[in-house]
RNA sequence: GCGCCCGUAGCUCAGCUGGAUAGAGCAUCGGCCUUCUAAGCCGAGGGUCCCAGGUUCGAGUCCUGGCGGGCGUGCCA
């Protein structure tokens, strides 16, 4: 593409001036009088070359003349180089987009490399809540962005099916089970109070009858535990499926024990000489690797803390061949980051392994006030309820449109709004509107197939409204690259909203009631083909962008009033 | 106390590796439907980028010190 050609020419020119490998920007200036593309290259290397930026810009400009598709280059301001593209090059970008089609925006940066994204990882102790929802949307979108960058991506869900929380679940189920059978029993204070626990107990009676009624053995409790975990796991999976999120693998904590990985990790850590006994517990000197303080590995009662299986699990990820791992977690878990990494460094893994994306919590607001509208969970709003209320696409988009590290106030009024206020509909509608143009062209008997569009004379796209759209569309690949590198799906949302706005603007400019001469559906076949090519390119970008985020790109919008 | 994150328009938030006059949506006000879906478009007003220093050709962005808010700081997960 043209941007790459200019970028390459700039690199060569900089090398010739003695500033090879310099970092510079080449992007679209806000102000169109500053050209179609602009670079800060001269300023960026001024310090290194100890020369005035404008002088360097002059030298660069001399070496940049004659790039195919560039009409002229100007020096401006403190030393910017502004590139003005000719009509042919501008139009050529449309062809390039159409040529790539559903692959437009993909790159091969991660080719041949594997990455694991671990996310959601909810304990099977209850229905998924909104924090899990945000994490599901975030993890899936980050995984998708990496796939668009050529990585081979493994989506993994880790669940804690052992330990104290699960034990409390089992006790709670037993209490409800006994209640349903007419016995006097109560759920302990630190147990699980939600209605779903009774549902589990009822399911247990249906399957096994009253056989645990008088059985206080560990085996009976174990059967209840197993039943509850399996049921909740199925339910979580069903809720995630309704949210269009799927995993390649579900990894249970108990496997770390049954496969001997926890025991193995203990002995490996002991071999490092970084462990010691104190107050009856076994500690690891994590402070040697930047942790705030040392951590207990094995409690004085002989059972491991959660820290140990975490380390064992990440050693296992590494041994499975995942040297790039991204864990998406709520920021309330951020204290585990340093200690897990410290434990892994003790075992000679690199300091930055694994990578973490931490997100803040979610609240739902209606009329500016926080609301909770879930009955089953007992205390919190569930993901399933939210999805039932607003739909998967809206929920996903809203979870993604803010930076992960900020608190997310889910605006329920806006989410339920089917008007222009709702960004999801705005983007989807812009896509549907472009599809509609092709439908109408077809009705008039005009050929607008792929071959026609890709061979259209797009140098006819000279109107400002058209050129602005083309420039926006041309930025899509760089945008995806940036979003992938920054683990930042919200950038895609921003981009799509802006693109949809520009598409709508362009569409209105050429609306028959306003300015028929600029309509996409003009009588002049050559002009029509060029504009439909632009419409096709825009539709491709909106479609691909929505697809990266895991959203549908409808060909037609149906409003349910 | 210490660690991490956040602080940008009335509201919700973008802002890339430091780059040209700080942007978007909503809200407010004024225009635009006999013609491709007005679920839209055009225009206007609206800013101490939390504060104070520093780094430099240039700081919302980097550094230091404050202020305000969130989370964490367990032999809980």
């Amino acid at each position: 593409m043209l941007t790459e050609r200019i970028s390459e020419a700039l690199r060569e020119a900089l090398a010739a001036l003695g500033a090879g490998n310099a970092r510079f920007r080449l992007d679209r200036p806000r102000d169109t009088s500053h050209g179609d593309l602009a670079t800060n290259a001269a300023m960026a290397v001024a310090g290194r070359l100890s020369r005035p930026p404008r002088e360097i810009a002059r030298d660069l400009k001399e070496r940049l003349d004659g790039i195919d598709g560039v009409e002229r280059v100007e020096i401006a301001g403190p030393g910017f180089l502004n590139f003005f593209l000719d009509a042919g090059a501008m139009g050529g970008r449309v062809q390039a987009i159409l040529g790539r089609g559903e692959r437009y925006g993909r790159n091969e940066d991660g080719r041949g490399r594997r990455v694991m994204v671990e996310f959601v990882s909810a304990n099977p102790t209850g229905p998924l809540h909104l924090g899990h929802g945000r994490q599901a949307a975030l993890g899936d979108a980050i995984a998708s962005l990496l796939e668009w960058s050529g990585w081979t991506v493994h989506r993994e869900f880790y669940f804690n099916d052992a330990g104290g929380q699960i034990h409390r679940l089992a006790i709670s189920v037993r209490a409800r089970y006994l209640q349903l059978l007419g016995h006097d029993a109560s759920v302990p204070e630190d147990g699980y109070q939600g209605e779903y626990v009774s549902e589990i107990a009822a399911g247990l009676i249906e399957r096994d009858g009253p056989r645990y009624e008088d059985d206080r053995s560990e085996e009976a409790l174990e059967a209840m535990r197993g039943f509850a975990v399996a049921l909740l796991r199925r339910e979580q999976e069903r809720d995630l499926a309704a949210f269009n999120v799927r995993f390649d693998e579900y990894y249970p904590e108990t496997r770390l024990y049954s496969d001997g990985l926890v025991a193995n990790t203990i002995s490996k850590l002991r071999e490092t000489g970084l462990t010691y006994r104190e107050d009856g517990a076994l500690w690891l000197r994590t402070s040697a690797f930047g942790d705030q303080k040392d951590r207990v590995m094995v409690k004085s009662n002989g059972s491991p803390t959660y820290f140990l299986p975490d380390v064992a699990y990440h050693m296992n990820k590494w041994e499975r061949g995942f040297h790039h791992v991204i864990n998406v977690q709520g920021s309330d878990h951020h204290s585990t980051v340093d200690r897990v990494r410290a434990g892994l460094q003790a075992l000679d893994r690199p300091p930055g392994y694994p990578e973490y994306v931490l997100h803040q919590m979610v609240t739902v607001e209606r009329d500016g006030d926080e609301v909770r509208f879930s009955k089953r969970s007992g205390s919190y709003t569930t993901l399933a309820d939210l999805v039932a209320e607003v739909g998967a696409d809206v929920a996903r988009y809203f979870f993604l449109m803010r930076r992960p590290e900020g608190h997310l106030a889910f605006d329920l009024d806006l989410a339920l709004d089917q008007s222009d206020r709702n960004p999801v509909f705005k983007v989807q509608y812009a896509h549907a509107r472009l599809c509609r143009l092709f439908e109408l062209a077809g009705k008039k008997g005009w050929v607008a197939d792929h071959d026609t569009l890709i061979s259209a004379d797009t140098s006819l796209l000279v109107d400002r409204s058209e050129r602005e759209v083309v420039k926006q569309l041309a930025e899509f690949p760089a945008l995806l690259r940036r979003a992938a590198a920054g683990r930042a799906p919200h950038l895609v949302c921003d981009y799509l909203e802006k693109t949809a706005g520009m598409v709508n603007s362009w569409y209105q400019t050429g609306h028959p009631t306003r300015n028929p001469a600029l309509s996409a559906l003009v009588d002049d076949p050559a002009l029509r083909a060029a504009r439909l090519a632009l419409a096709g390119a825009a539709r491709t970008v909106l479609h691909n962008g929505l697809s990266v985020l895991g959203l549908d790109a409808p060909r037609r919008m149906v409003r349910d009033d």
Side-chain angles (χ1 to χ4, degrees), chain A residues 525-538:
Chain A
L527 203 48
R528 187 171 68 230
R531 288 178 181 159
L532 284 173
L534 176 57

Side-chain angles (χ1 to χ4, degrees), chain A residues 26-49:
Chain A
L26 177 67
D27 47 23
R28 173 158 62 112
R30 244 194 323 274
D31 188 335
T32 52
S33 72
H34 294 148
D36 300 310
L37 287 167
T39 183
N40 65 343
M43 281 124 63
V45 300
R48 195 162 136 197
L49 297 181

Side-chain angles (χ1 to χ4, degrees), chain A residues 431-469:
Chain A
H431 177 267
R433 166 175 277 153
L434 293 169
C435 292
R436 180 70 177 148
L437 274 182
F438 286 98
E439 260 183 52
L440 287 162
K443 274 188 190 155
K444 296 206 181 191
W446 290 333
V447 179
D449 58 15
H450 188 260
D451 288 346
T452 307
L453 298 188
I454 207 159
S455 56
D457 178 8
T458 45
S459 69
L460 297 170
L461 299 171
V462 293
D463 190 79
R464 191 196 142 123
S465 68
E466 294 161 346
R467 289 176 65 107
E468 288 307 298
V469 175

Side-chain angles (χ1 to χ4, degrees), chain A residues 227-256:
Chain A
F227 181 81
V229 166
L231 200 142
L232 286 166
R233 278 287 321 117
R234 273 201 303 280
E235 181 181 319
Q236 289 179 352
E237 218 160 320
R238 190 194 62 212
D239 292 348
L240 288 166
F243 198 46
N244 300 320
V245 173
R246 275 167 194 79
F247 288 88
D248 297 301
E249 188 162 354
Y250 292 84
Y251 198 102
E253 185 189 7
T254 44
R255 191 188 299 169
L256 296 172

Side-chain angles (χ1 to χ4, degrees), chain A residues 360-482:
Chain A
Q360 294 216 19
M361 287 300 144
V362 181
T363 51
V364 180
E365 291 180 4
R366 176 179 264 157
D367 286 335
D369 295 320
E370 186 175 348
V371 294
R372 295 163 194 266
F373 54 94
S374 182
K375 302 175 200 88
R376 288 190 60 240
S377 70
S379 60
Y380 55 87
T381 303
T382 65
L383 174 63
D385 286 340
L386 183 74
V387 170
E389 188 88 359
V390 304
D393 280 0
V394 170
R396 277 183 87 114
Y397 191 95
F398 275 55
F399 280 137
L400 292 174
M401 69 183 178
R402 303 292 178 228
R403 300 151 70 207
E405 55 269 29
H407 170 257
L408 179 73
F410 198 107
D411 183 342
L412 202 56
D413 301 301
L414 186 59
L416 288 168
D417 196 324
Q418 294 192 31
S419 80
D420 57 302
R421 293 176 64 219
N422 189 329
V424 186
F425 290 123
K426 176 176 176 172
V427 173
Q428 291 186 325
Y429 182 68
H431 177 267
R433 166 175 277 153
L434 293 169
C435 292
R436 180 70 177 148
L437 274 182
F438 286 98
E439 260 183 52
L440 287 162
K443 274 188 190 155
K444 296 206 181 191
W446 290 333
V447 179
D449 58 15
H450 188 260
D451 288 346
T452 307
L453 298 188
I454 207 159
S455 56
D457 178 8
T458 45
S459 69
L460 297 170
L461 299 171
V462 293
D463 190 79
R464 191 196 142 123
S465 68
E466 294 161 346
R467 289 176 65 107
E468 288 307 298
V469 175
V470 174
K471 282 191 265 181
Q472 173 73 5
L473 301 180
E475 284 182 12
F476 184 58
L479 176 278
L480 284 191
R481 238 194 200 104
R482 187 152 27 98

Side-chain angles (χ1 to χ4, degrees), chain A residues 130-373:
Chain A
L130 297 182
H132 296 129
R134 184 176 197 184
Q135 202 171 113
L138 206 49
D140 198 41
I142 288 170
S144 170
L145 279 167
L146 290 168
E147 282 167 344
W148 278 69
S149 296
W151 291 79
T152 300
V153 180
H154 183 86
R155 291 169 171 80
E156 184 147 309
F157 181 123
Y158 173 76
F159 64 100
N160 181 324
D161 56 344
Q165 309 277 8
I166 293 294
H167 182 71
R168 278 196 283 282
L169 174 71
I171 301 283
S172 305
V173 169
R174 182 170 62 192
R176 294 297 187 199
Y177 174 85
L178 292 173
Q179 282 174 7
L180 287 171
L181 293 172
H183 295 274
D184 196 21
S186 60
V187 177
E189 199 133 308
D190 62 350
Y192 291 86
Q193 310 289 344
E195 270 181 37
Y196 66 92
V197 179
S198 302
E199 294 169 19
I200 294 169
L204 187 63
I205 292 172
E206 197 172 309
R207 191 191 72 173
D208 291 348
R211 85 166 70 141
Y212 312 112
E213 206 167 7
D214 302 310
D215 187 349
R216 291 308 171 94
S217 68
E218 274 305 310
E219 289 70 27
L221 195 61
E222 169 61 26
M224 295 187 192
R225 189 199 65 85
F227 181 81
V229 166
L231 200 142
L232 286 166
R233 278 287 321 117
R234 273 201 303 280
E235 181 181 319
Q236 289 179 352
E237 218 160 320
R238 190 194 62 212
D239 292 348
L240 288 166
F243 198 46
N244 300 320
V245 173
R246 275 167 194 79
F247 288 88
D248 297 301
E249 188 162 354
Y250 292 84
Y251 198 102
E253 185 189 7
T254 44
R255 191 188 299 169
L256 296 172
Y257 291 93
S258 59
D259 288 359
L261 300 182
V262 173
N264 187 38
T265 299
I266 294 176
S267 54
K268 285 271 169 56
L269 284 170
R270 288 186 121 141
E271 283 168 23
T272 65
L274 291 161
T275 60
Y276 60 93
R277 287 217 160 263
E278 193 174 296
D279 301 331
L282 184 64
W283 296 68
L284 180 67
R285 222 176 282 286
T286 53
S287 61
F289 302 97
D291 197 7
Q292 297 256 97
K293 50 174 279 197
D294 292 345
R295 305 292 171 177
V296 171
M297 298 163 49
V298 182
K299 303 182 211 172
S300 49
N301 69 8
S303 63
T305 61
Y306 63 89
F307 160 64
L308 198 52
D310 276 359
V311 172
Y313 180 41
H314 284 90
M315 286 304 288
N316 170 257
K317 287 180 180 178
W318 184 281
E319 274 146 28
R320 279 192 278 157
F322 294 107
H323 297 186
H324 296 275
V325 170
I326 301 174
N327 291 342
V328 184
Q329 296 183 353
S331 59
D332 53 335
H333 287 75
H334 86 247
S335 63
T336 66
V337 172
D338 281 347
R339 85 184 63 166
V340 170
R341 284 179 173 168
L344 289 162
Q345 282 178 71
L347 298 173
D348 291 328
R349 291 321 101 162
Y353 174 82
E355 179 184 335
Y356 286 85
V357 172
L358 302 178
H359 66 88
Q360 294 216 19
M361 287 300 144
V362 181
T363 51
V364 180
E365 291 180 4
R366 176 179 264 157
D367 286 335
D369 295 320
E370 186 175 348
V371 294
R372 295 163 194 266
F373 54 94

